[in-house]
DNA sequence: GACATAACTTACTCGCGCGTAACATTACGC
DNA sequence: GCGTAATGTTACGCGCGAGTAAGTTATGTC
């Protein structure tokens, strides 16, 4: 890893520690992740980790904050509110998959680990809710442009489904390095956006074609 | 919980233990879950749990197996392969949300816990892959009925997105007891199926409307 | 009503791994 | 170059909770 014996300023060591921690958390999960192993990965001894980033929980939170920040940047940083809503969605989606492609371990921790460990789970859940809200708003805007409107509740369900679909595809992306994030984004926009748009314009899929129950 | 002092046959105690374990795992996560607490919930002392269901890991696996079995039953048990593909999807989806609605803790464990703990994660991932395959097949069938065909790779992406959307909606369902599983299923079919169908019939969402890079 | 066996408990061991106290060394300001 | 603060290490305490050994009471059976 880092060449031995070299002394480094705190700011860069902290980043190395976060890198190391995220790898470890991603590979073994929070519980099985070993503080000694994290220290070793960072090319440093354990007490340094505690000195700089605190306990295991605090370290985990630090990882989450950094990755959540990067994700937010990747998504919100590329969206221009002057664009038409579907283009905003497209930009956000592309930014999202780009982040996942570049920081696979980070995404794995956010998605696979953080959801199961309180109190981080609530923090992440809040972020997710915010994302759903933003998407629902864009959908509403897209609708308004066509002179239609749809119950907010339904918009949120669609937005939530979009988010879930994105996470699912992101999850595959993590395990398949050869996959191109751009292509995934395009596929998703094709598969999902068309459906949302269609429903938003008033088409319904009719349950009662089903004969029974 | 269970009235004190009563002795019960192994088969029923085991079910109580699994119920208890699933509640505990769902509430605290695998790591924070306490074997003594599980035993107490089941109205029994810890060595009984070890005698009947083995170590913590084995207990967890037992939980997963039971819930995965129930889920499979709820989904595959209601699908009739003589029905048209979209109806098969609809039945499966309804069964899925019905399971989640009835066994919220079970779903929480499957979805939020199992994904982060090897080696269970791989087992669940395999099950998920199988589900994606089945859905992709139905999509292909639906297509064939309209005389079209689409690359298998693309079909799988759509199926994967469907699964992710379902999981996401299921996850909300877990936290909102007033929500009706049937309604969630209908919404999802509306929001997603229409889009998949549309793409399957050859429509594409055009990336190059985007002006910049 | 004995006796076998399944159901159940109390009361421990013990190791893993988080977290820290105490100490060492290098860089840098002045 | 010398003090001092930041970077770094070794070696250990210690609690928590998984897992168990040994013993106890109910229950069904002939």
């Amino acid at each position: 890893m880092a060449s031995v014996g070299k002394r480094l300023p705190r700011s860069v060591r902290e980043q190395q520690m976060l890198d190391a921690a995220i790898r470890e958390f991603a590979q073994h999960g929070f519980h099985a992740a070993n503080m000694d192993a994290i220290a070793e990965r960072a090319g440093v001894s354990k007490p340094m980790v505690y000195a700089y980033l605190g306990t295991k929980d605090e370290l985990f939170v630090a990882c989450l904050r950094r990755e959540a920040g990067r994700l937010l940047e990747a998504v919100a940083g590329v969206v221009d509110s002057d664009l038409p809503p579907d283009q905003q969605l497209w930009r956000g989606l592309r930014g999202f998959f780009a982040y996942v492609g570049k920081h696979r371990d980070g995404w794995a921790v956010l998605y696979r680990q953080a959801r199961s460990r309180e109190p981080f789970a609530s923090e992440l859940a809040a972020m997710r809710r915010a994302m759903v809200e933003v998407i629902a708003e864009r959908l509403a805007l897209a609708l308004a442009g066509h002179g239609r409107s749809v119950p907010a509740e339904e918009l949120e369900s669609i937005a939530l489904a979009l988010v879930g679909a994105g996470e699912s595809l992101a999850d595959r992306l993590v395990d398949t390095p050869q996959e191109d994030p751009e292509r995934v984004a395009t596929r998703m926009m094709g598969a999902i956006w068309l459906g949302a748009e269609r429903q938003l314009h008033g088409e319904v899929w009719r349950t009662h074609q089903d004969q029974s129950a």
Side-chain angles (χ1 to χ4, degrees), chain A residues 20-167:
Chain A
I22 284 169
R23 270 216 86 89
E24 179 80 6
F25 285 137
Q27 287 185 4
H28 304 308
F30 179 86
H31 172 53
N34 189 321
M35 290 299 276
D36 294 85
I38 291 173
E40 192 177 357
R41 273 190 209 267
V44 106
S45 68
K46 193 169 52 169
M48 287 305 298
V49 179
Y50 281 88
Y52 284 175
L53 293 168
T55 80
K56 190 179 189 181
D57 279 35
E58 290 166 344
L59 173 61
F60 190 68
V61 168
C63 292
L64 288 191
R65 290 215 200 291
R66 194 183 75 173
E67 294 307 309
R70 284 176 171 173
L71 175 55
L72 202 66
E73 170 66 20
V75 173
V78 298
V79 171
D80 176 354
S81 54
D82 290 338
L83 288 169
D86 72 319
Q87 286 300 320
Q88 289 185 44
L89 287 176
W90 163 242
R91 294 280 196 94
L93 199 61
R94 211 175 51 177
F96 170 68
F97 284 116
Y99 163 80
V100 174
K102 288 251 174 295
H103 305 283
R104 291 163 201 256
D105 286 335
W107 171 254
V109 172
L110 282 177
Y111 181 61
R112 295 182 186 166
Q113 299 301 319
R115 306 204 66 174
S116 55
R117 296 264 325 160
E118 287 295 349
F120 329 126
S122 351
E123 194 172 331
L124 265 282
M127 185 176 168
R128 211 173 110 101
R129 265 195 302 277
M131 221 161 196
V132 171
E133 277 316 313
V134 170
I135 294 175
E137 272 175 38
R138 296 295 171 282
L139 293 177
L141 285 177
L143 259 188
H146 292 266
R148 286 191 36 76
S149 83
V150 157
E153 214 183 317
E154 199 153 331
L155 277 180
E156 288 215 359
S157 284
I158 296 176
L160 186 60
L162 288 174
V163 168
E167 288 171 347

Side-chain angles (χ1 to χ4, degrees), chain A residues 8-29:
Chain A
L8 295 172
R10 173 165 187 160
S11 58
V12 22
R13 263 301 184 235
E14 277 181 347
Q15 293 309 311
Q16 292 181 340
M17 288 174 184
L18 290 176
D19 291 340
I22 284 169
R23 270 216 86 89
E24 179 80 6
F25 285 137
Q27 287 185 4
H28 304 308

